C-alpha cells in the first residue's frame, strides 16, 4: 500500500480538487466547509506521512505524470526537501481547525467557504511546489500558492487588508516574472525543463546568460522569502491577514521562497564562479535581515507586526546558513525552516486567539491576560521562549548549527550577529511574557476575557508542545536532511 | 565585439529585455495603482514574447507531422508554456483590479501618496465585537 505509486501526485491534487469543490458543495454552510477543508487537509497530511515513511525506507523517488517519462514529461520527485510537505499539512490542518470560530467573525460570512477553498488551494500549490522536478511546473505551482495567498490576505475585514494584499500582489507578481523569465533563459540554453537534466546540460561557463538566469531566480525567490532588503511587503501583509492565514504565510509560504532558492542552487551546482558571489551576498543580506528584523520587532506595538518582523529575522538566519555553504550551516538552515514554521504558527494562532477574544492587538493592552486565558498565554510564552533559541527548545538547534557553520567557514563575526539577534528576540519575548503574566490588567476586555473554545486553544497548545519536542529531535532531523544538503551543494565540507 | 555581435543576432531578446525593464520601471515608480498593474502587464508581455521567440528557428516548419512537412520544426513547447503563463497573468490582473476597486472604495483614491492608512484602518474589525457567543 505504501508503495502505491500515485500517492505523490495526490499530495497536490487532493487539496487542489478539494479546494475547488468547497464553494461548490458548501456555498451557504461555513461550518460544513470548515469540516470538509480540515478533512481534506488531514488526508493530505496522511499522504505526506505515507510518502515520508517510504522516503525513510528506500530513499528519494520520482513519478512521471501521465506516464510521460522524465525529460519529456513532467517529473515529480519526493526528496528530503519535499518532506517539508509533512509540516505544511500539519500546520494547514491546525490552522483550519483554528479557523472555524475565528473566521466566523473575522471574515464576511458569505465569504467563509471561499476562505476555506483558498486555504486548501494554497496548500495544494505549496505541496506541488515542494515535489515538482520541472522548472515550468515550479512556476505554475508557485503562482497557485501566491495568488491564493494574495486573496487570503484580502479576506480580512480591516480596510488596510486590500491595500496590503495589493502591495503583496504587485511585488509577488514582479518576483514571479523574474522567475519565469529566468526559466525561459534556462530553457533556451538547455532545451529542457527538467531540473536534474538542466543541471547537467547547463553550461555554467557561458557566464552571461547563465548568470542572468541565476540572478533572476535568486532575486525572485528572495522576494518570495522576504529576504532583507526585499522584505517590506511582509509586515503589512502578515499583520493584516486573518490570524490563521498569517500563520500559514509566515510558516510556509515564505519558506517556499527558501525551497525555491535551494532548487536554484541545485540547478547551478558546479558553477562555482557564478555561485560564490551569490552565496557571499546572501550571507550579508541574511545578517542584515536577522539584526534589522529583530530590532524592528522590538519596537513594534502591534503584536502581529512584531511577529511579522520576527519572521524577517528568522529568514535572515536561514539565508546566513544557506550562504555559508558548509554542511552544518546548511543542514541547520533547513532544520530551522521547519522549526520556525512550527513556532511561528503557534505564535500567530495564539495572537489570533487573543485578538478574537479581546479585540486588542497592542502588546501593552494585553497585560494580565495570562490569568484570563491561561492555555493561550501558556502556548504563546512557550513558543516565544523556543523562538529565542533557549536550549533545548526548537529555535536552538538551527541557530547552533548555523553558528558552528560560521566558525567552520572562518567567519566568527556571524556568531556575534546570531547572539545579538538572539538576545533581541529574547528581549521582545520577555516583554510579551511580562505583559501577559506579571502586570495587572489595564483594559476592560482583558478583565472580562475567558479562554477561547477548544478548537482554538488545542492547535496553539499542540504547536507549542511541538516547538519544544522538535528541539529534542534535533539530531535525527539534522541527519535526515544530510542527503539533501549533498544533492544541493555537491560535496561540501 | 563578440558580445555585440551576439546581441545583434538576437534583436528579439534585446527587445524583450527592454520591454521588461520598461514595465518594471512603470511598476516601481508610478504612484497610481492602475498604472502599476499596466506596468506589470507590460512585463508579462515581454516575458511571453521572449519565451515564444526561443522556440523559433529560422526557416523552421510548423511542428505538424503531415505529408509534405519536413524538419527542422519550430518548437511547439514554448507556446504551451506561454498559454499557461497568460492564464496566470489574467488571473493576477483580475485579482489586482478587484483589490484596486476595494482600495478605492475604502480610501477614496488609487494614488498611493493620497492614501493615508490610519490606525483605525490597521485595527482588526474584531475590535467592535468583544466577548464570545460561540460555544
Amino acid at each position: 500500500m505504501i508503495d502505491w505509486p500515485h500517492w505523490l501526485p495526490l499530495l497536490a491534487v487532493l487539496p487542489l480538487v478539494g479546494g475547488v469543490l468547497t464553494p461548490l458543495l458548501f456555498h451557504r454552510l461555513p461550518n460544513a466547509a470548515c469540516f470538509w477543508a480540515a478533512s481534506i487537509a488531514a488526508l493530505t497530511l496522511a499522504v505526506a506521512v505515507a510518502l515520508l515513511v517510504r522516503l525513510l525506507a528506500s530513499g528519494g523517488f520520482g513519478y512521471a505524470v501521465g506516464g510521460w517519462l522524465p525529460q519529456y514529461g513532467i517529473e515529480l520527485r519526493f526528496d528530503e526537501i519535499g518532506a517539508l510537505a509533512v509540516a505544511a499539512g500539519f500546520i494547514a490542518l491546525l490552522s483550519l481547525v483554528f479557523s472555524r470560530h475565528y473566521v466566523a467573525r473575522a471574515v464576511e460570512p458569505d465569504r467563509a467557504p471561499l476562505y476555506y477553498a483558498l486555504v486548501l488551494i494554497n496548500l495544494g500549490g505549496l505541496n506541488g511546489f515542494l515535489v515538482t522536478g520541472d522548472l515550468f511546473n515550479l512556476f505554475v505551482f508557485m503562482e497557485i500558492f501566491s495568488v491564493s495567498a494574495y486573496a487570503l490576505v484580502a479576506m480580512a475585514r480591516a480596510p488596510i487588508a486590500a491595500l496590503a494584499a495589493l502591495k503583496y500582489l504587485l511585488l509577488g507578481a514582479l518576483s514571479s516574472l523574474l522567475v519565469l523569465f529566468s526559466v525561459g533563459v534556462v530553457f533556451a540554453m538547455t532545451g529542457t525543463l527538467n531540473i536534474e537534466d538542466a543541471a547537467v546540460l547547463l553550461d555554467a561557463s557561458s557566464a552571461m546568460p547563465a548568470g542572468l538566469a541565476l540572478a533572476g531566480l535568486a532575486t525572485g525567490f528572495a522576494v518570495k522569502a522576504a529576504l532583507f532588503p526585499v522584505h517590506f511587503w511582509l509586515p503589512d501583509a502578515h499583520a493584516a491577514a486573518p490570524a490563521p492565514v498569517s500563520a500559514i504565510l509566515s510558516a510556509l509560504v515564505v519558506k517556499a521562497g527558501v525551497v525555491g532558492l535551494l532548487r536554484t542552487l541545485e540547478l547551478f551546482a558546479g558553477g562555482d564562479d557564478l555561485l560564490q558571489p551569490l552565496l557571499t551576498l546572501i550571507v550579508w543580506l541574511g545578517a542584515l535581515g536577522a539584526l534589522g528584523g529583530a530590532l524592528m520587532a522590538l519596537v513594534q506595538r502591534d503584536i502581529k507586526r512584531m511577529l511579522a518582523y520576527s519572521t524577517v529575522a528568522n529568514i535572515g538566519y536561514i539565508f546566513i546558513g544557506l550562504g555559508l555553504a558548509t554542511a552544518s550551516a546548511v543542514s541547520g538552515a533547513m532544520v530551522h525552516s521547519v522549526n520556525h514554521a512550527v513556532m511561528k504558527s503557534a505564535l500567530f494562532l495564539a495572537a489570533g486567539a487573543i485578538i478574537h477574544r479581546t479585540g486588542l492587538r497592542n502588546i501593552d493592552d494585553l497585560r494580565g491576560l495570562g490569568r484570563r486565558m491561561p492555555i493561550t498565554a501558556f502556548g504563546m510564552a512557550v513558543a516565544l521562549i523556543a523562538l529565542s533559541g533557549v536550549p533545548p527548545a526548537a529555535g536552538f538547534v538551527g541557530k547552533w548549527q548555523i553558528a558552528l557553520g560560521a566558525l567552520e567557514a572562518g567567519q566568527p563575526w556571524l556568531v556575534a550577529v546570531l547572539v545579538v539577534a538572539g538576545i533581541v528576540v529574547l528581549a521582545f519575548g520577555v516583554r510579551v511574557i511580562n505583559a501577559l503574566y506579571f502586570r495587572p490588567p489595564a483594559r476592560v476586555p482583558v478583565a472580562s476575557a475567558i479562554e477561547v473554545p477548544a478548537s482554538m486553544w488545542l492547535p496553539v497548545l499542540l504547536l507549542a508542545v511541538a516547538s519544544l519536542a522538535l528541539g529534542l529531535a534535533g539530531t535525527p532531523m539534522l541527519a535526515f536532511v544530510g542527503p539533501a544538503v549533498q544533492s544541493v551543494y555537491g560535496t561540501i565540507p | 565585439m563578440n558580445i555585440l555581435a551576439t546581441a545583434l543576432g538576437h534583436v528579439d531578446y534585446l527587445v524583450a529585455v527592454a520591454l521588461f525593464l520598461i514595465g518594471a520601471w512603470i511598476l516601481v515608480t508610478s504612484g497610481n495603482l492602475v498604472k502599476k498593474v499596466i506596468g506589470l502587464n507590460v512585463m508579462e508581455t515581454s516575458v511571453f514574447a521572449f519565451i515564444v521567440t526561443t522556440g523559433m528557428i529560422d526557416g523552421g516548419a510548423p511542428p505538424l507531422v503531415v505529408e509534405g512537412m519536413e524538419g527542422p520544426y519550430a518548437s511547439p513547447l514554448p507556446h504551451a508554456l506561454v498559454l499557461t503563463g497568460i492564464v496566470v497573468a489574467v488571473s493576477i490582473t483580475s485579482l489586482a483590479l478587484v483589490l484596486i476597486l476595494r482600495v478605492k472604495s475604502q480610501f477614496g483614491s488609487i494614488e498611493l501618496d493620497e492614501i493615508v492608512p490610519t490606525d483605525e484602518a490597521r485595527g482588526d474589525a474584531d475590535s467592535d465585537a468583544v466577548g464570545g457567543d460561540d460555544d
Side-chain angles (χ1 to χ4, degrees), chain A residues 101 105 136 143 154 156-160 163 166 169-170 173-174 177 180 184-185 188 305 355-359 361 453, chain B residues 33 36 40 43-44 50 54 81 88 92 96 99-100 102 106 117 121-127 129-132 134-135:
Chain A
H101 288 297
R105 189 177 296 153
F136 192 75
E143 288 305 274
R157 276 182 176 172
I160 193 78
L163 191 61
L166 195 60
L169 180 146
L170 290 172
L174 175 71
L177 284 175
L180 182 60
V185 173
R305 282 186 84 80
I355 293 169
H356 176 80
R357 198 47 111 197
T358 65
R361 44 195 303 159
Chain B
L33 291 172
K36 278 181 185 289
L40 192 65
M43 286 176 74
E44 280 160 353
F50 169 71
T54 61
L81 302 186
V88 171
I92 289 183
L99 289 175
I100 289 174
R102 249 184 86 184
Q106 278 161 353
R122 283 186 194 285
D124 230 75
D126 302 359
S127 49
V130 170
D134 40 32
D135 268 16

Side-chain angles (χ1 to χ4, degrees), chain A residues 343 347 380-391 393-395 426 429 433 468:
Chain A
M343 296 182 288
L347 288 169
M380 177 166 259
V382 166
L384 276 171
I385 291 171
L387 189 68
S388 64
V390 176
L426 189 63
I433 293 169
L468 285 180

Side-chain angles (χ1 to χ4, degrees), chain A residues 21-419:
Chain A
L21 288 179
T22 310
L24 239 58
L25 295 174
F26 306 104
H27 180 50
R28 299 223 174 273
L29 307 162
N31 274 332
C34 178
F35 183 73
W36 162 264
S39 313
I40 297 283
L43 282 175
T44 311
L45 175 61
V47 171
V49 170
L51 290 167
L52 179 66
V53 169
R54 185 171 159 201
L55 177 70
L56 286 171
S58 56
F61 50 92
Y63 178 85
V65 176
W68 294 85
L69 292 176
Q71 292 178 40
Y72 305 107
I74 294 169
E75 188 197 15
L76 302 181
R77 276 188 301 158
F78 196 77
D79 55 13
E80 287 79 6
I81 298 172
L84 194 60
V86 177
F90 182 63
I91 290 168
L93 172 62
L94 292 180
S95 299
L96 282 165
V97 172
F98 181 93
S99 295
R100 187 173 155 235
H101 288 297
Y102 187 87
V103 161
R105 189 177 296 153
V107 172
E108 308 278 345
D110 53 341
R111 285 205 199 140
L114 200 59
Y115 165 90
Y116 294 114
L118 285 170
V119 172
L120 282 181
I121 291 171
N122 191 270
L123 176 65
L126 275 170
N127 280 345
F129 184 84
L130 291 174
V131 299
T132 188
D134 181 277
L135 278 171
F136 192 75
N137 210 222
L138 196 75
F139 165 76
V140 171
F141 278 122
M142 183 172 79
E143 288 305 274
I144 292 176
F145 75 67
S146 299
V147 175
S148 55
Y150 311 145
L152 279 169
V153 170
M155 277 275 168
R157 276 182 176 172
I160 193 78
L163 191 61
L166 195 60
K167 274 189 198 169
Y168 181 21
L169 180 146
L170 290 172
L171 213 63
L174 175 71
S175 69
S176 298
L177 284 175
L178 279 172
V179 170
L180 182 60
F181 184 79
S182 310
V183 168
V185 173
V186 172
F187 177 66
M189 287 174 72
T190 63
T192 179
L193 287 168
N194 187 296
I195 295 179
E196 273 180 351
D197 205 26
V200 174
L201 291 172
L202 198 66
D203 184 7
S205 61
S206 63
M208 188 15 213
L212 191 68
L214 179 62
L217 286 169
T219 315
F221 288 126
V223 174
K224 295 274 181 214
L227 176 65
F228 179 89
V230 280
H231 66 283
F232 47 84
W233 58 269
L234 185 143
D236 280 343
H238 288 199
V245 174
S246 311
I248 292 174
L249 291 182
S250 246
L252 305 172
V253 174
V254 292
K255 300 301 166 19
V258 175
V259 171
L261 187 78
L262 285 170
R263 298 290 186 213
T264 308
L265 295 177
E266 208 175 334
L267 193 61
F268 286 86
D272 282 344
D273 295 347
L274 283 175
L275 281 182
Q276 207 49 53
L278 174 73
L279 294 176
T280 313
L281 181 68
I282 64 178
V283 168
W284 278 94
L285 295 180
L288 287 172
L291 285 175
L295 287 172
M296 284 302 288
L298 191 62
V299 298
Q300 297 303 314
R301 293 167 64 222
D302 180 321
I303 187 156
K304 283 180 76 182
R305 282 186 84 80
M306 183 198 87
L307 295 175
Y309 274 108
S310 149
T311 297
V312 175
N314 279 281
I315 288 296
Y317 295 142
I318 291 169
F319 274 88
I320 292 175
L322 296 182
L324 283 172
T326 69
S328 42
V330 175
S331 57
M334 288 179 182
V335 170
H336 195 63
S337 301
V338 178
N339 289 350
H340 171 255
V342 171
M343 296 182 288
K344 191 50 63 68
S345 48
L347 288 169
F348 266 120
L349 291 185
I354 290 170
I355 293 169
H356 176 80
R357 198 47 111 197
T358 65
L360 302 172
R361 44 195 303 159
N362 195 325
I363 296 169
D364 295 325
D365 289 343
L366 304 181
R367 291 177 194 170
L369 206 61
R371 287 176 198 282
R372 307 299 311 177
M373 301 174 64
I375 306 173
T376 306
F378 173 75
M380 177 166 259
V382 166
L384 276 171
I385 291 171
L387 189 68
S388 64
V390 176
F396 174 71
V397 184
K399 291 183 194 176
W400 177 253
Q401 287 290 319
I402 293 167
L404 273 185
L407 291 178
E408 283 169 13
Q411 307 209 41
W413 62 278
L414 280 171
V415 179
V417 170
L418 287 169
V419 170

Side-chain angles (χ1 to χ4, degrees), chain B residues 27-134:
Chain B
L27 174 61
V28 173
T29 58
S30 174
N32 183 305
L33 291 172
V34 173
K35 286 183 185 168
K36 278 181 185 289
V37 173
I38 291 172
L40 192 65
N41 279 303
V42 172
M43 286 176 74
E44 280 160 353
T45 309
S46 77
V47 174
F48 299 153
F50 169 71
I51 294 180
V52 166
T53 54
T54 61
M56 284 293 295
I57 296 177
D58 286 338
L64 302 169
V65 183
V66 289
E67 202 69 34
M69 201 72 83
E70 282 183 13
Y73 297 112
S75 170
L77 185 59
H79 295 77
L81 302 186
V82 165
L83 209 56
T84 315
I86 288 173
V87 173
V88 171
V90 167
S91 63
I92 289 183
T93 306
S94 54
L95 182 61
L97 293 177
V98 169
L99 289 175
I100 289 174
L101 278 179
R102 249 184 86 184
V103 169
K104 167 77 179 165
S105 73
Q106 278 161 353
F107 295 97
S109 172
I110 55 167
E111 295 285 342
L112 271 185
D113 50 3
E114 290 174 10
I115 296 173
V116 186
T118 55
D119 271 352
E120 195 186 342
R122 283 186 194 285
D124 230 75
D126 302 359
S127 49
D128 54 357
V130 170
D133 44 0
D134 40 32

